[in-house]
Amino acid sequence: MNTHTRYRFICTLSFGDIYGQIVVWLIVIFAGLGAALSLMNSPLYAFLTIALILVISLPFLLFAFVTTLLNHIEFVAVPPEEEEEERAVAAKSPVAVR
């Protein structure tokens, strides 16, 4: 007797879930580019300003993306009736994938 429960992996993430994060990050990047342009009298300071903003903002962006993705992952138990239907269909098909 098989007492293991099967689970279905569902990801409900859509572009609208991360759209705001992308817009905020683009605003930060353009603000950084504006700050770098204002420092163009010294190209080294301009380059360091862009590098600093990227280094500081990128981990926050990645953290926001990863946590948003993890919040939209679901594991749902497959009901026994549906599991039996899947086995019946797999048994009838010429190429049974298990």
Side-chain angles (χ1 to χ4, degrees), residues 6-10 76-90:
R6 292 182 57 188
Y7 292 92
R8 180 171 291 129
F9 173 82
I10 301 171
V76 179
V78 177
E81 308 85 39
E82 194 174 319
E83 190 173 342
E84 290 300 323
E85 289 175 11
E86 289 176 4
R87 285 186 186 154
V89 169

Side-chain angles (χ1 to χ4, degrees), residues 33-98:
L33 288 173
L37 281 174
S38 69
L39 294 172
M40 279 308 281
N41 292 338
S42 174
L44 179 63
Y45 289 151
F47 176 74
L48 290 177
T49 301
I50 291 175
L52 183 66
I53 289 173
L54 281 175
V55 167
I56 290 174
S57 69
L58 194 59
F60 289 106
L61 176 75
L62 292 175
F63 178 76
F65 280 166
V66 170
T67 54
T68 302
L69 175 64
L70 291 177
N71 285 333
H72 287 276
I73 292 177
E74 300 175 6
F75 288 99
V76 179
V78 177
E81 308 85 39
E82 194 174 319
E83 190 173 342
E84 290 300 323
E85 289 175 11
E86 289 176 4
R87 285 186 186 154
V89 169
K92 290 180 183 177
S93 68
V95 179
V97 179
R98 294 175 195 220

